[in-house]
Amino acid sequence: MSPPLLKLGAVLSTMAMISNWMSQTLPSLVGLNTTRITTSDTLVSSCYMLQISPKEGWQVYSSAQDPDGRCICTVVAPEQNLCSRDAKSRQLRQLLEKVQNMSQSIEVLNLRTQRDFQYVLKMETQMKGLKAKFRQIEDDRKTLMTKHFQELKEKMDELLPLIPVLEQYKTDAKLITQFKEEIRNLSTVLTGIQEEIGAYDYEELHQRVVNLETRLRDCMKKLTCGKLMKITGPITVKISGTRFGAWMTDPLASEKNNRVWYMDSYTNNKIVREYKSIADFVSGAESRTYNLPFKWAGTNHVVYNGSLYFNKYQSNIIIKYSFDTGRVLAQRSLEYAGFHNVYPYTWGGFSDIDLMADEIGLWAVYATNQNAGNIVISQLNQDTLEVLKSWSTGYPKRSAGESFMICGTLYVTNSHLTGAKVYYSYSTKTSTYEYTDIPFHNQYFHISMLDYNARDRALYAWNNGHQVLFNVTLFHIIKTEDDS
């Protein structure tokens, strides 16, 4: 109980004690507690009577004795109104009336105080409850603000990867605008030529159109290639399967063809699941299932121009399988390539041979004893799987977390775990390497597949049972005919 309520209770108790004391003590102070004489102690005789004034007070007279020796007395009582006229009695009566009035007032005050005390107790309980509610509201407000802030932050994080993409589109749009202007100018020339058909040679005009078309195509090819500058994301597309697996789309498919292929696990499996679109993949609506003639090894497969390329289990043989015909179109041994966890990536999983594709074509990344277990890059013929050309690097295959090709340059990560980054790159165009420092967010702590898709300009990854996408930012250098 709070201090004000304790004080109120003490006042009530004191007032009750005062009332009780006054009702018991005041009569004894003024002489009201005297012993009354009973009539049995008084004997009245008619021996003889004396004339006395009844106003003189009590009178007792002795007259004679009876035969038994007892005294016979005559007692005369005063008039009844004698006490009423006595000043002391009157004061006493007035005092008693005042005491009674005070007692009644104190009793009323006590009742009021008791009522107010109960009211205060009730108010104290309500105030405590109100205080608790305010505290709860304050805590809930802080919790809601934190939750809303976190949701906004997550939405902003999801939007951040779009910034470099928009910037790239902005640059591309400027170039396209320039080309449109050139075409518009050429159209003006054509109109003038039509008016003066005899002044110009038609073949010369046709050659100018062809040259412009060639320049446009060359420029578009240059726009699709560039040097890796940044990796953002990831965007989680789906959560499914085991810790290890692969999922992919065809970089050479048309814009309307968005099929997705899904291969769970890195061994003891031959089932490939197909989905018509990313939306169907997310919802789990399979369109077709393929039962391969051989089990695959690892997770580093690739779909390229309608066919699946994978490493046959317990061998260094590469298989080309057509989804359209359901048959093996080609198979070839990758000479000297290690297999079956001889030269895997850091996470193991029979990831010795990594098949990938970029803007230039089809590639195989592996290691050999002849190159001391360091990475070898081979460009493959997509039809026959013949090795067209190879490059030997000095980077140990077992020290690489994953790797991918962009525009003929191999990018190697230093780990498959948290803290991974692109640490090494090798250009097949210049046959040179460099050490890089391009971090990326390994959100689910274990990457077992990381491949570049040139059409989507994105990295497809299998991150501990999560299928995710990373956006990439490329640095473009476009040279014109005026550049030396």
Side-chain angles (χ1 to χ4, degrees):
M1 186 182 294
S2 59
L5 297 181
L6 290 173
K7 292 181 180 180
L8 183 58
V11 171
L12 294 175
S13 177
T14 303
M15 294 177 67
M17 292 173 61
I18 292 173
S19 175
N20 184 51
W21 177 84
M22 292 180 68
S23 63
Q24 294 183 5
T25 307
L26 285 175
S28 64
L29 292 175
V30 296
L32 292 181
N33 283 349
T34 56
T35 305
R36 300 181 60 183
I37 303 175
T38 61
T39 55
S40 62
D41 294 332
T42 305
L43 298 175
V44 180
S45 174
S46 61
C47 295
Y48 59 89
M49 298 292 294
L50 294 177
Q51 297 293 328
I52 61 174
S53 175
K55 296 181 180 181
E56 293 177 355
W58 289 89
Q59 300 290 332
V60 181
Y61 299 93
S62 296
S63 59
Q65 294 183 345
D66 62 4
D68 296 328
R70 293 175 296 184
C71 179
I72 300 175
C73 300
T74 300
V75 179
V76 179
E79 292 182 0
Q80 292 298 325
N81 60 355
L82 180 62
C83 290
S84 63
R85 296 176 182 177
D86 186 85
K88 185 176 180 181
S89 298
R90 185 167 54 254
Q91 292 176 358
L92 177 61
R93 186 172 59 256
Q94 293 175 353
L95 184 59
L96 285 174
E97 290 176 355
K98 290 181 179 180
V99 169
Q100 291 176 354
N101 292 337
M102 288 178 63
S103 298
Q104 292 176 359
S105 298
I106 291 173
E107 185 65 26
V108 172
L109 181 59
N110 184 39
L111 291 175
R112 288 180 180 176
T113 306
Q114 289 289 341
R115 181 193 63 193
D116 293 344
F117 178 66
Q118 295 299 324
Y119 177 75
V120 170
L121 287 177
K122 182 178 179 181
M123 288 298 296
E124 182 187 30
T125 302
Q126 293 178 352
M127 289 180 69
K128 287 181 178 179
L130 190 61
K131 183 178 180 182
K133 288 182 178 180
F134 275 122
R135 187 181 295 110
Q136 182 178 358
I137 291 172
E138 180 68 17
D139 294 340
D140 293 344
R141 183 180 66 85
K142 293 179 180 179
T143 303
L144 288 174
M145 287 183 64
T146 303
K147 180 181 178 181
H148 291 162
F149 176 78
Q150 185 63 30
E151 289 177 353
L152 289 174
K153 186 175 182 298
E154 291 176 355
K155 290 181 180 179
M156 289 300 295
D157 290 340
E158 291 177 359
L159 293 176
L160 283 177
L162 296 178
I163 294 177
V165 177
L166 292 175
E167 291 177 350
Q168 187 62 52
Y169 286 160
K170 187 177 179 181
T171 303
D172 296 348
K174 290 181 179 179
L175 291 170
I176 292 172
T177 302
Q178 295 176 4
F179 290 135
K180 285 183 178 179
E181 186 64 27
E182 289 191 32
I183 293 173
R184 190 178 296 111
N185 295 336
L186 185 58
S187 298
T188 303
V189 174
L190 285 172
T191 302
I193 290 174
Q194 287 177 353
E195 295 175 356
E196 303 175 7
I197 191 65
Y200 295 93
D201 181 49
Y202 176 78
E203 292 297 332
E204 181 183 353
L205 179 62
H206 178 70
Q207 188 60 41
R208 290 179 64 183
V209 174
V210 172
N211 290 339
L212 180 59
E213 183 180 2
T214 302
R215 287 178 60 197
L216 283 171
R217 289 179 178 176
D218 290 342
C219 188
M220 292 305 296
K221 288 180 180 179
K222 292 176 182 178
L223 280 177
T224 59
C225 268
K227 181 179 180 181
L228 179 65
M229 300 300 294
K230 187 177 181 181
I231 300 175
T232 55
I235 299 172
T236 301
V237 177
K238 189 176 181 180
I239 304 173
S240 64
T242 62
R243 293 183 64 192
F244 318 98
W247 71 295
M248 64 213 80
T249 59
D250 190 343
L252 295 185
S254 65
E255 293 183 359
K256 296 182 179 180
N257 184 353
N258 295 304
R259 289 186 295 175
V260 177
W261 290 273
Y262 178 89
M263 302 169 70
D264 191 13
S265 185
Y266 64 88
T267 185
N268 292 328
N269 200 349
K270 299 191 298 181
I271 303 300
V272 180
R273 305 182 189 280
E274 181 182 283
Y275 304 85
K276 289 184 178 180
S277 64
I278 289 287
D280 286 349
F281 174 61
V282 172
S283 64
E286 295 180 18
S287 61
R288 191 172 176 182
T289 299
Y290 301 90
N291 191 357
L292 302 179
F294 311 106
K295 294 180 181 179
W296 65 71
T299 58
N300 306 115
H301 332 293
V302 64
V303 174
Y304 189 70
N305 199 22
S307 295
L308 171 67
Y309 297 82
F310 66 96
N311 176 209
K312 184 179 178 182
Y313 180 58
Q314 289 187 337
S315 74
N316 59 5
I317 297 174
I318 301 172
I319 304 293
K320 178 183 179 181
Y321 177 85
S322 172
F323 286 125
D324 292 334
T325 64
R327 295 186 300 108
V328 173
L329 300 182
Q331 56 179 315
R332 183 181 292 270
S333 175
L334 196 59
E335 191 174 16
Y336 304 122
F339 62 92
H340 203 62
N341 274 347
V342 174
Y343 295 119
Y345 287 128
T346 54
W347 64 275
F350 305 140
S351 56
D352 304 71
I353 298 175
D354 191 351
L355 301 172
M356 56 188 73
D358 67 353
E359 295 84 353
I360 296 176
L362 186 65
W363 304 85
V365 173
Y366 54 98
T368 65
N369 290 333
Q370 288 74 7
N371 197 34
N374 295 324
I375 290 177
V376 176
I377 306 169
S378 292
Q379 186 175 6
L380 306 179
N381 182 299
Q382 64 172 320
D383 297 321
T384 64
L385 302 180
E386 180 184 0
V387 174
L388 302 178
K389 187 176 180 179
S390 294
W391 293 261
S392 296
T393 76
Y395 197 91
K397 178 72 162 49
R398 283 181 168 272
S399 298
E402 277 289 341
S403 67
F404 52 90
M405 295 287 292
I406 298 179
C407 299
T409 298
L410 179 70
Y411 294 92
V412 181
T413 69
N414 63 342
S415 174
H416 63 283
L417 302 174
T418 303
K421 61 183 178 179
V422 176
Y423 181 72
Y424 176 90
S425 67
Y426 187 94
S427 171
T428 59
K429 182 178 180 180
T430 62
S431 298
T432 58
Y433 71 91
E434 66 176 327
Y435 288 97
T436 61
D437 187 6
I438 305 175
F440 61 95
H441 183 37
N442 188 351
Q443 185 169 351
Y444 304 108
F445 317 117
H446 191 288
I447 292 179
S448 59
M449 170 255 181
L450 187 65
D451 278 332
Y452 174 71
N453 186 292
R455 186 187 71 166
D456 300 335
R457 195 175 290 179
L459 293 174
Y460 283 65
W462 190 290
N463 196 343
N464 204 6
H466 299 73
Q467 291 75 53
V468 303
L469 288 173
F470 292 93
N471 289 316
V472 298
T473 301
L474 305 180
F475 178 72
H476 301 281
I477 300 177
I478 302 176
K479 293 184 179 181
T480 63
E481 293 180 353
D482 297 332
D483 295 335
S484 55

